[in-house]
Structures are given as C-alpha cells and as structure tokens.
Amino acid sequence: MADAAGDGVREFSTDLSLYEKGRPEYSEESAEFLLNRVGALPSDRREAIKLLEIAAGTGKFTRVMAKVLAAKRANVEIIASDSQKAMCDMFRRFVTGIEMLHFPAENIALPDESVPVIICAQSFHWFASEKSVGEICRVLKPGGKYGMIWNHRDHSVPWVRAMQDIVDPFVKQKDMPPDPRELTWKESLDNSGKFTSVERDTSFQTYLEGDIDNIVSVIMCISAISQSSKEKRAMVESKIRDILTNHPDLRGTQVYKLPYITDICWCTKKQVTKRF
C-alpha cells in the first residue's frame, strides 16, 4: 500500500528496500473470498469487467488476486494505481501485464461510473476521508462494490504482543493514521450515505515465515518507524532482536512464523432511485 500527500492529505512513506521484504503475503483463499464478495467471480461472465485497485504499492495483493482470477478464468481486467511514483515504478518491476496508473485516491483519473469493483489492500485507513470516498463513489458504477483487506499481526500471541508494545509509541503519534482495527475508517463510508453498511470477515489467517532478519524487517518497514531518526530505528531494532532471541516462547527458534489475522471488509454503492 502507498498513498501520498496532496492538498493536506496524510502521506504514506516507508523504506522501499524493506517494504517488499517486510509485508506479508495474502493467502489465495482470502483473495478468493474477497473477490467473491465484490462480484469479480464467478468465471462464466461473458463480458469483461474492470477492477480498480487503489494504492497497490508493490503489488503484494495484486499478484495473488491476479493468480486467483486466472485460476478461475474470470473475465476481469485489473487496473492498479498508486500515488507515489517510486511505488509505481517498483510495481512495474514485480508485476507484468497489469496497467499501473499514477494518482491518489482523492483524485482518481478515471471517468464517472466506469468500474464495477474497487479494492484497497492494507491502505484505506491511510486516506479514508470525505474526499476519497466521494471519488470512489464517483468512479464506481451504481451497485458497484468496494472491497478492503488488511493483514493484522495477531497480538493475542505473547511474543507478537511484546513487539507491538515497542511499536505502539511510534504508530500512535498524532500524525499517524488510527489502527485499522479500530474501524475509524468506517466513519467516512457511513457518513457519506452513499454505501451500504460495511460487512466484515476475520476468519482467515496467514503467516510470514523467515529468519530473524525477515521478522525484524517487518517491524522496520512500518512507516512510523522507518521515518524516525537513525538512533530511534537502532533502538527499535535492538529491542525487537532481543524479543526474538530471548522470549521464552522463541528460544532456539531459527525459522519464525509471524501470525496474521486477515481482515476483509466490503460494501456496495447505493443505487439512486429516480423519481418522475
């Protein structure tokens, strides 16, 4: 995910060298579930439909989504977008055959009512606002679907909670967006009156598996940390490595499995009934 500032919009920024390495993959099962909920499946549709992914970043979700659509032989054309040129360039390195456009969620460079499906992965909480919701609504066809997906580290696991206690002072700074699990992003959709109530599923889980350096990169690529001073980053890395090395649940671990809960949400653009 990435969405940059413009006209007072909050800016997302992180170390791109860590971004691809530190972000977890999405399971094909969770991608298929979301694609079903937003009407991109089944596969027997004769006419192709367009699906816009906003703030696609390096294409973490795009890749698994494209794989699922291909396996289901779904007649769907994906259009990706991001507000940061660096992200667009990196997306094009990792993803082939999918158009990447450069624009923010607050100014979508597509015609009115031109796509039936819009998806945001790991991103909407960054730019949820009256302006972005207005643009999403403008571009969606009547009855169109808006889907969102996040991977949240599972804080019910003690060593994951211990790492989050180090992260919290950074992510709870006033210039950072609220934790998406707090669902404050829903307010912009609910207040617009343009969408049905958001539905939600949190039954899917995934893992990021790797050595200690892989797990450290997960924390270090968090925007609030990667933008901190060199001294603060070094302090965070030292504390995270200490947990991964010395936590009683992890002693002797060589290959770590960092658990995530996948949070899937979706809603529908209301159709306006014309009165004569």
Side-chain angles (χ1 to χ4, degrees):
M1 162 268 157
D3 215 84
D7 299 327
V9 178
R10 180 185 286 116
E11 181 177 5
F12 172 85
S13 178
T14 192
D15 184 340
L16 295 187
S17 66
L18 291 173
Y19 187 91
E20 176 67 18
K21 181 180 179 182
R23 296 295 167 118
E25 304 292 338
Y26 296 88
S27 70
E28 292 181 29
E29 292 78 12
S30 65
E32 181 177 346
F33 181 91
L34 177 58
L35 290 167
N36 266 312
R37 293 302 179 273
V38 297
L41 302 174
S43 59
D44 57 357
R45 185 184 296 105
R46 292 186 178 181
E47 293 186 7
I49 67 167
K50 292 183 178 182
L51 183 158
L52 171 64
E53 183 184 1
I54 297 174
T58 63
K60 280 278 187 177
F61 185 72
T62 320
R63 280 168 266 172
V64 67
M65 175 169 61
K67 186 176 181 179
V68 170
L69 290 171
K72 298 294 182 179
R73 299 184 179 179
N75 200 358
V76 176
E77 175 191 352
I78 300 172
I79 303 170
S81 69
D82 202 277
S83 64
Q84 291 194 30
K85 185 178 184 301
M87 283 290 190
C88 293
D89 292 342
M90 186 170 282
F91 179 97
R92 295 182 184 110
R93 283 173 49 199
F94 286 116
V95 185
T96 59
I98 293 177
E99 184 178 16
M100 164 56 84
L101 303 177
H102 181 203
F103 57 73
E106 298 79 11
N107 188 19
I108 299 174
L110 291 177
D112 294 357
E113 299 185 356
S114 57
V115 296
V117 179
I118 294 178
I119 285 177
C120 290
Q122 210 77 22
S123 60
F124 184 57
H125 62 293
W126 270 92
F127 50 82
S129 67
E130 180 180 352
K131 190 171 184 179
S132 66
V133 169
E135 277 292 275
I136 289 167
C137 184
R138 177 186 67 79
V139 172
L140 273 177
K141 293 183 177 182
K145 307 287 186 177
Y146 179 43
M148 297 149 280
I149 186 168
W150 289 267
N151 280 324
H152 303 311
R153 290 184 298 280
D154 187 352
H155 295 165
S156 69
V157 177
W159 65 270
V160 180
R161 179 68 256 176
M163 292 200 304
Q164 190 62 29
D165 289 341
I166 296 169
V167 170
D168 276 344
F170 292 86
V171 299
K172 291 183 177 179
Q173 298 174 83
K174 64 180 180 180
D175 57 339
M176 289 291 111
D179 188 316
R181 281 171 286 204
E182 297 175 2
L183 303 182
T184 55
W185 52 263
K186 281 179 76 275
E187 295 174 4
S188 58
L189 291 166
D190 294 339
N191 293 341
S192 73
K194 298 174 180 178
F195 290 87
T196 59
S197 297
V198 174
E199 298 181 74
R200 189 182 186 205
D201 182 277
T202 57
S203 62
F204 292 92
Q205 294 180 314
T206 190
Y207 295 88
L208 190 152
E209 187 171 321
D211 62 17
I212 191 169
D213 291 333
N214 292 125
I215 306 305
V216 168
S217 70
V218 170
I219 303 302
M220 301 311 295
C221 79
I222 295 171
S223 180
I225 293 174
S226 68
Q227 295 179 61
S228 297
S229 67
K230 182 179 179 180
E231 293 74 19
K232 288 183 178 179
R233 294 198 306 272
M235 178 270 292
V236 169
E237 180 170 350
S238 176
K239 289 184 176 181
I240 295 299
R241 286 185 181 277
D242 180 65
I243 290 170
L244 294 172
T245 302
N246 297 314
H247 193 281
D249 294 344
L250 296 175
R251 285 174 186 161
T253 299
Q254 299 297 317
V255 178
Y256 298 81
K257 292 184 69 175
L258 179 58
Y260 287 83
I261 296 170
T262 303
D263 192 350
I264 303 173
C265 302
W266 64 97
C267 57
T268 303
K269 176 181 174 180
K270 293 180 180 177
Q271 300 195 50
V272 178
T273 302
K274 295 182 179 181
R275 296 182 179 181
F276 298 92

